[in-house]
Short mmCIF file of all heavy atoms in Angstrom, two decimals:
data_model
loop_
_atom_site.label_atom_id
_atom_site.label_comp_id
_atom_site.label_asym_id
_atom_site.label_seq_id
_atom_site.Cartn_x
_atom_site.Cartn_y
_atom_site.Cartn_z
N SER X 1424 80.97 60.53 148.59
CA SER X 1424 81.49 61.87 148.87
C SER X 1424 82.66 62.20 147.94
O SER X 1424 82.74 63.31 147.40
CB SER X 1424 81.92 61.99 150.33
OG SER X 1424 82.98 61.12 150.64
N LEU X 1425 83.56 61.25 147.73
CA LEU X 1425 84.69 61.49 146.83
C LEU X 1425 84.23 61.69 145.39
O LEU X 1425 84.72 62.58 144.67
CB LEU X 1425 85.69 60.33 146.91
CG LEU X 1425 86.44 60.19 148.24
CD1 LEU X 1425 87.32 58.95 148.24
CD2 LEU X 1425 87.28 61.44 148.53
N PHE X 1426 83.26 60.88 144.95
CA PHE X 1426 82.72 61.03 143.59
C PHE X 1426 82.10 62.41 143.41
O PHE X 1426 82.32 63.09 142.40
CB PHE X 1426 81.68 59.94 143.31
CG PHE X 1426 81.00 60.10 141.97
CD1 PHE X 1426 81.57 59.58 140.82
CD2 PHE X 1426 79.79 60.77 141.87
CE1 PHE X 1426 80.96 59.74 139.59
CE2 PHE X 1426 79.16 60.94 140.65
CZ PHE X 1426 79.74 60.42 139.50
N TRP X 1427 81.31 62.85 144.38
CA TRP X 1427 80.62 64.13 144.28
C TRP X 1427 81.62 65.28 144.26
O TRP X 1427 81.47 66.24 143.49
CB TRP X 1427 79.65 64.29 145.45
CG TRP X 1427 78.59 65.33 145.20
CD1 TRP X 1427 78.58 66.62 145.64
CD2 TRP X 1427 77.38 65.15 144.45
NE1 TRP X 1427 77.44 67.27 145.22
CE2 TRP X 1427 76.69 66.38 144.49
CE3 TRP X 1427 76.82 64.08 143.77
CZ2 TRP X 1427 75.46 66.56 143.86
CZ3 TRP X 1427 75.59 64.26 143.15
CH2 TRP X 1427 74.93 65.49 143.20
N LEU X 1428 82.66 65.19 145.07
CA LEU X 1428 83.67 66.24 145.11
C LEU X 1428 84.47 66.32 143.82
O LEU X 1428 84.83 67.40 143.35
CB LEU X 1428 84.64 65.99 146.28
CG LEU X 1428 84.07 66.18 147.69
CD1 LEU X 1428 85.07 65.70 148.73
CD2 LEU X 1428 83.71 67.64 147.93
N ILE X 1429 84.75 65.18 143.20
CA ILE X 1429 85.60 65.15 142.01
C ILE X 1429 84.82 65.44 140.73
O ILE X 1429 85.33 66.12 139.83
CB ILE X 1429 86.29 63.78 141.90
CG1 ILE X 1429 87.26 63.58 143.07
CG2 ILE X 1429 87.04 63.65 140.57
CD1 ILE X 1429 87.83 62.18 143.16
N PHE X 1430 83.57 64.99 140.66
CA PHE X 1430 82.85 65.05 139.39
C PHE X 1430 81.60 65.94 139.36
O PHE X 1430 81.08 66.20 138.28
CB PHE X 1430 82.43 63.63 138.97
CG PHE X 1430 83.59 62.72 138.69
CD1 PHE X 1430 83.92 61.71 139.57
CD2 PHE X 1430 84.38 62.90 137.55
CE1 PHE X 1430 85.00 60.86 139.32
CE2 PHE X 1430 85.45 62.07 137.29
CZ PHE X 1430 85.77 61.05 138.18
N VAL X 1431 81.11 66.40 140.52
CA VAL X 1431 79.85 67.16 140.51
C VAL X 1431 79.98 68.53 141.17
O VAL X 1431 79.63 69.55 140.57
CB VAL X 1431 78.72 66.35 141.19
CG1 VAL X 1431 77.42 67.15 141.17
CG2 VAL X 1431 78.52 65.01 140.49
N PHE X 1432 80.43 68.58 142.43
CA PHE X 1432 80.46 69.83 143.18
C PHE X 1432 81.40 70.83 142.50
O PHE X 1432 82.60 70.58 142.37
CB PHE X 1432 80.90 69.56 144.62
CG PHE X 1432 80.78 70.74 145.54
CD1 PHE X 1432 79.59 71.44 145.64
CD2 PHE X 1432 81.85 71.14 146.33
CE1 PHE X 1432 79.46 72.52 146.50
CE2 PHE X 1432 81.74 72.22 147.19
CZ PHE X 1432 80.54 72.91 147.27
N ALA X 1433 80.86 71.96 142.06
CA ALA X 1433 81.59 72.87 141.16
C ALA X 1433 82.90 73.37 141.73
O ALA X 1433 83.92 73.40 141.03
CB ALA X 1433 80.69 74.04 140.79
N LYS X 1434 82.90 73.77 143.00
CA LYS X 1434 84.11 74.37 143.59
C LYS X 1434 85.29 73.42 143.54
O LYS X 1434 86.42 73.82 143.22
CB LYS X 1434 83.83 74.79 145.03
CG LYS X 1434 83.05 76.09 145.16
CD LYS X 1434 82.98 76.52 146.61
CE LYS X 1434 82.26 77.86 146.76
NZ LYS X 1434 82.19 78.30 148.17
N THR X 1435 85.06 72.17 143.89
CA THR X 1435 86.17 71.21 143.93
C THR X 1435 86.41 70.54 142.57
O THR X 1435 87.55 70.31 142.20
CB THR X 1435 85.90 70.12 144.98
OG1 THR X 1435 84.58 69.58 144.78
CG2 THR X 1435 85.98 70.71 146.38
N ALA X 1436 85.35 70.24 141.85
CA ALA X 1436 85.50 69.58 140.54
C ALA X 1436 86.28 70.47 139.57
O ALA X 1436 87.17 70.00 138.85
CB ALA X 1436 84.14 69.23 139.96
N THR X 1437 85.96 71.77 139.58
CA THR X 1437 86.66 72.70 138.70
C THR X 1437 88.12 72.85 139.12
O THR X 1437 89.02 72.86 138.28
CB THR X 1437 85.97 74.08 138.73
OG1 THR X 1437 84.61 73.92 138.33
CG2 THR X 1437 86.66 75.04 137.79
N GLY X 1438 88.34 72.95 140.43
CA GLY X 1438 89.71 73.12 140.92
C GLY X 1438 90.59 71.91 140.66
O GLY X 1438 91.75 72.05 140.27
N LEU X 1439 90.04 70.72 140.85
CA LEU X 1439 90.83 69.50 140.65
C LEU X 1439 91.09 69.23 139.17
O LEU X 1439 92.16 68.74 138.79
CB LEU X 1439 90.11 68.31 141.29
CG LEU X 1439 90.04 68.30 142.81
CD1 LEU X 1439 89.14 67.17 143.30
CD2 LEU X 1439 91.43 68.15 143.42
N GLY X 1440 90.08 69.48 138.33
CA GLY X 1440 90.25 69.30 136.89
C GLY X 1440 90.17 67.87 136.39
O GLY X 1440 90.35 67.61 135.20
N ILE X 1441 89.90 66.91 137.29
CA ILE X 1441 89.85 65.50 136.88
C ILE X 1441 88.65 65.25 135.98
O ILE X 1441 88.73 64.53 134.97
CB ILE X 1441 89.81 64.59 138.11
CG1 ILE X 1441 91.08 64.75 138.94
CG2 ILE X 1441 89.61 63.13 137.71
CD1 ILE X 1441 91.07 64.01 140.27
N CYS X 1442 87.51 65.83 136.34
CA CYS X 1442 86.30 65.67 135.53
C CYS X 1442 86.52 66.24 134.12
O CYS X 1442 86.11 65.63 133.12
CB CYS X 1442 85.12 66.37 136.21
SG CYS X 1442 83.53 66.11 135.40
N LYS X 1443 87.14 67.39 134.04
CA LYS X 1443 87.44 68.02 132.74
C LYS X 1443 88.37 67.14 131.92
O LYS X 1443 88.19 66.98 130.69
CB LYS X 1443 88.09 69.38 133.00
CG LYS X 1443 88.45 70.15 131.74
CD LYS X 1443 87.26 70.76 131.09
CE LYS X 1443 87.66 71.70 129.96
NZ LYS X 1443 86.49 72.28 129.26
N LEU X 1444 89.35 66.55 132.57
CA LEU X 1444 90.32 65.71 131.88
C LEU X 1444 89.67 64.45 131.30
O LEU X 1444 89.96 64.05 130.17
CB LEU X 1444 91.44 65.32 132.85
CG LEU X 1444 92.56 64.43 132.30
CD1 LEU X 1444 93.35 65.17 131.22
CD2 LEU X 1444 93.48 63.98 133.42
N ILE X 1445 88.77 63.83 132.08
CA ILE X 1445 88.17 62.55 131.66
C ILE X 1445 86.97 62.76 130.74
O ILE X 1445 86.85 62.10 129.70
CB ILE X 1445 87.75 61.74 132.90
CG1 ILE X 1445 88.98 61.38 133.75
CG2 ILE X 1445 87.02 60.46 132.47
CD1 ILE X 1445 88.64 60.67 135.05
N PHE X 1446 86.09 63.68 131.10
CA PHE X 1446 84.83 63.82 130.38
C PHE X 1446 84.73 65.09 129.53
O PHE X 1446 83.76 65.27 128.79
CB PHE X 1446 83.65 63.79 131.36
CG PHE X 1446 83.55 62.50 132.13
CD1 PHE X 1446 83.93 62.44 133.47
CD2 PHE X 1446 83.08 61.34 131.52
CE1 PHE X 1446 83.84 61.25 134.17
CE2 PHE X 1446 82.99 60.15 132.23
CZ PHE X 1446 83.37 60.10 133.56
N GLY X 1447 85.70 66.00 129.67
CA GLY X 1447 85.68 67.21 128.86
C GLY X 1447 84.75 68.30 129.35
O GLY X 1447 84.52 69.29 128.65
N VAL X 1448 84.18 68.15 130.56
CA VAL X 1448 83.29 69.15 131.14
C VAL X 1448 83.74 69.45 132.57
O VAL X 1448 84.38 68.61 133.21
CB VAL X 1448 81.81 68.69 131.14
CG1 VAL X 1448 81.28 68.61 129.72
CG2 VAL X 1448 81.66 67.35 131.86
N GLU X 1449 83.39 70.64 133.06
CA GLU X 1449 83.80 71.03 134.41
C GLU X 1449 83.11 70.17 135.47
O GLU X 1449 83.70 69.82 136.49
CB GLU X 1449 83.47 72.51 134.66
CG GLU X 1449 84.17 73.48 133.73
CD GLU X 1449 85.66 73.61 134.02
OE1 GLU X 1449 86.11 73.06 135.04
OE2 GLU X 1449 86.36 74.25 133.23
N THR X 1450 81.84 69.86 135.26
CA THR X 1450 81.06 69.06 136.20
C THR X 1450 80.06 68.22 135.44
O THR X 1450 79.52 68.67 134.41
CB THR X 1450 80.34 69.94 137.23
OG1 THR X 1450 79.48 69.16 138.03
CG2 THR X 1450 79.55 71.05 136.56
N LEU X 1451 79.79 67.00 135.90
CA LEU X 1451 78.89 66.10 135.18
C LEU X 1451 77.44 66.57 135.23
O LEU X 1451 76.66 66.25 134.33
CB LEU X 1451 79.00 64.69 135.77
CG LEU X 1451 80.32 63.95 135.55
CD1 LEU X 1451 80.25 62.55 136.16
CD2 LEU X 1451 80.66 63.85 134.07
N LEU X 1452 77.07 67.30 136.30
CA LEU X 1452 75.71 67.82 136.42
C LEU X 1452 75.80 69.34 136.47
O LEU X 1452 76.08 69.93 137.50
CB LEU X 1452 75.04 67.28 137.69
CG LEU X 1452 74.86 65.75 137.77
CD1 LEU X 1452 74.28 65.36 139.12
CD2 LEU X 1452 73.96 65.25 136.65
N SER X 1453 75.55 69.97 135.33
CA SER X 1453 75.74 71.42 135.24
C SER X 1453 74.47 72.22 135.50
O SER X 1453 74.51 73.43 135.64
CB SER X 1453 76.28 71.78 133.85
OG SER X 1453 75.40 71.31 132.83
N THR X 1454 73.33 71.54 135.59
CA THR X 1454 72.06 72.23 135.81
C THR X 1454 71.92 72.63 137.27
O THR X 1454 72.10 71.81 138.17
CB THR X 1454 70.87 71.33 135.42
OG1 THR X 1454 71.04 70.90 134.06
CG2 THR X 1454 69.56 72.09 135.53
N VAL X 1455 71.57 73.91 137.50
CA VAL X 1455 71.35 74.39 138.87
C VAL X 1455 70.16 73.64 139.47
O VAL X 1455 69.16 73.42 138.79
CB VAL X 1455 71.07 75.92 138.84
CG1 VAL X 1455 70.74 76.43 140.24
CG2 VAL X 1455 72.26 76.68 138.25
N PRO X 1456 70.25 73.17 140.73
CA PRO X 1456 71.27 73.52 141.74
C PRO X 1456 72.38 72.49 141.92
O PRO X 1456 73.18 72.64 142.84
CB PRO X 1456 70.42 73.60 143.01
CG PRO X 1456 69.42 72.49 142.83
CD PRO X 1456 69.09 72.49 141.36
N TRP X 1457 72.42 71.42 141.11
CA TRP X 1457 73.31 70.29 141.38
C TRP X 1457 74.78 70.66 141.60
O TRP X 1457 75.41 70.14 142.53
CB TRP X 1457 73.18 69.24 140.28
CG TRP X 1457 71.80 68.66 140.21
CD1 TRP X 1457 70.87 68.83 139.24
CD2 TRP X 1457 71.18 67.81 141.20
NE1 TRP X 1457 69.70 68.17 139.54
CE2 TRP X 1457 69.87 67.52 140.74
CE3 TRP X 1457 71.61 67.29 142.42
CZ2 TRP X 1457 68.99 66.73 141.46
CZ3 TRP X 1457 70.73 66.49 143.14
CH2 TRP X 1457 69.44 66.22 142.67
N PRO X 1458 75.39 71.54 140.81
CA PRO X 1458 76.82 71.84 141.05
C PRO X 1458 77.08 72.58 142.36
O PRO X 1458 78.23 72.71 142.77
CB PRO X 1458 77.18 72.73 139.85
CG PRO X 1458 76.10 72.55 138.86
CD PRO X 1458 74.88 72.25 139.64
N PHE X 1459 76.00 73.06 143.00
CA PHE X 1459 76.16 73.85 144.22
C PHE X 1459 75.65 73.12 145.46
O PHE X 1459 75.71 73.66 146.56
CB PHE X 1459 75.43 75.19 144.06
CG PHE X 1459 75.82 75.93 142.82
CD1 PHE X 1459 74.99 75.93 141.71
CD2 PHE X 1459 77.04 76.59 142.74
CE1 PHE X 1459 75.36 76.59 140.54
CE2 PHE X 1459 77.42 77.24 141.58
CZ PHE X 1459 76.58 77.25 140.47
N ILE X 1460 75.12 71.92 145.28
CA ILE X 1460 74.66 71.12 146.43
C ILE X 1460 75.85 70.40 147.03
O ILE X 1460 76.56 69.67 146.35
CB ILE X 1460 73.58 70.11 146.01
CG1 ILE X 1460 72.34 70.84 145.50
CG2 ILE X 1460 73.21 69.20 147.18
CD1 ILE X 1460 71.24 69.92 145.02
N ASP X 1461 76.05 70.61 148.29
CA ASP X 1461 77.26 70.09 148.93
C ASP X 1461 77.20 68.57 149.11
O ASP X 1461 76.13 67.96 149.15
CB ASP X 1461 77.46 70.76 150.28
CG ASP X 1461 78.91 70.76 150.68
OD1 ASP X 1461 79.65 71.60 150.15
OD2 ASP X 1461 79.30 69.92 151.49
N VAL X 1462 78.38 68.01 149.26
CA VAL X 1462 78.54 66.56 149.32
C VAL X 1462 77.75 65.93 150.46
O VAL X 1462 77.21 64.83 150.31
CB VAL X 1462 80.04 66.19 149.41
CG1 VAL X 1462 80.67 66.81 150.64
CG2 VAL X 1462 80.25 64.69 149.42
N MET X 1463 77.67 66.61 151.58
CA MET X 1463 77.02 66.01 152.74
C MET X 1463 75.53 65.79 152.50
O MET X 1463 74.95 64.82 152.99
CB MET X 1463 77.23 66.90 153.97
CG MET X 1463 76.81 66.25 155.27
SD MET X 1463 77.32 67.26 156.67
CE MET X 1463 76.25 66.57 157.93
N ILE X 1464 74.90 66.66 151.74
CA ILE X 1464 73.48 66.53 151.44
C ILE X 1464 73.20 65.25 150.67
O ILE X 1464 72.14 64.63 150.81
CB ILE X 1464 73.00 67.75 150.61
CG1 ILE X 1464 73.24 69.05 151.37
CG2 ILE X 1464 71.53 67.62 150.23
CD1 ILE X 1464 72.39 69.23 152.59
N ILE X 1465 74.15 64.83 149.87
CA ILE X 1465 73.99 63.63 149.05
C ILE X 1465 74.54 62.39 149.75
O ILE X 1465 73.88 61.35 149.84
CB ILE X 1465 74.71 63.80 147.69
CG1 ILE X 1465 74.20 65.06 146.97
CG2 ILE X 1465 74.56 62.56 146.83
CD1 ILE X 1465 72.73 65.02 146.62
N ALA X 1466 75.76 62.48 150.27
CA ALA X 1466 76.47 61.30 150.75
C ALA X 1466 75.94 60.76 152.06
O ALA X 1466 75.91 59.54 152.26
CB ALA X 1466 77.97 61.61 150.87
N VAL X 1467 75.53 61.62 152.99
CA VAL X 1467 75.05 61.14 154.29
C VAL X 1467 73.77 60.32 154.15
O VAL X 1467 73.65 59.23 154.72
CB VAL X 1467 74.88 62.29 155.29
CG1 VAL X 1467 74.15 61.83 156.55
CG2 VAL X 1467 76.24 62.86 155.67
N PRO X 1468 72.75 60.78 153.37
CA PRO X 1468 71.57 59.93 153.15
C PRO X 1468 71.90 58.60 152.48
O PRO X 1468 71.31 57.57 152.83
CB PRO X 1468 70.67 60.78 152.26
CG PRO X 1468 71.05 62.18 152.58
CD PRO X 1468 72.53 62.14 152.82
N VAL X 1469 72.86 58.61 151.55
CA VAL X 1469 73.27 57.35 150.90
C VAL X 1469 73.88 56.41 151.93
O VAL X 1469 73.56 55.21 151.98
CB VAL X 1469 74.26 57.63 149.75
CG1 VAL X 1469 74.87 56.32 149.25
CG2 VAL X 1469 73.57 58.35 148.60
N SER X 1470 74.78 56.94 152.75
CA SER X 1470 75.40 56.13 153.79
C SER X 1470 74.36 55.57 154.75
O SER X 1470 74.42 54.39 155.13
CB SER X 1470 76.43 56.97 154.56
OG SER X 1470 76.96 56.26 155.65
#
C-alpha cells in the first residue's frame, strides 16, 4: 500500500513528489488505468 501510494497512484505520488525525485517521473506506471487504480484494489489481494 505504501509503495503504491508513493510511486504509482497519481493523486498521492504527484503530491508527495518522491517518485519524481528518485525516478524523474510523476508515477512509475503512467498508462491508464494504473495511475488511477486505488491502493486497496492492489494491496488487499496481495495481503
Side-chain angles (χ1 to χ4, degrees):
S1424 64
L1425 292 176
F1426 175 85
W1427 199 262
L1428 291 171
I1429 295 171
F1430 296 107
V1431 180
F1432 189 52
K1434 282 187 177 180
T1435 50
T1437 302
L1439 292 172
I1441 298 173
C1442 186
K1443 180 76 171 178
L1444 180 66
I1445 297 175
F1446 298 105
V1448 292
E1449 299 288 352
T1450 174
L1451 292 181
L1452 298 175
S1453 57
T1454 305
V1455 176
W1457 297 110
F1459 308 102
I1460 297 178
D1461 206 78
V1462 59
M1463 190 172 162
I1464 301 292
I1465 304 298
V1467 170
V1469 170
S1470 174

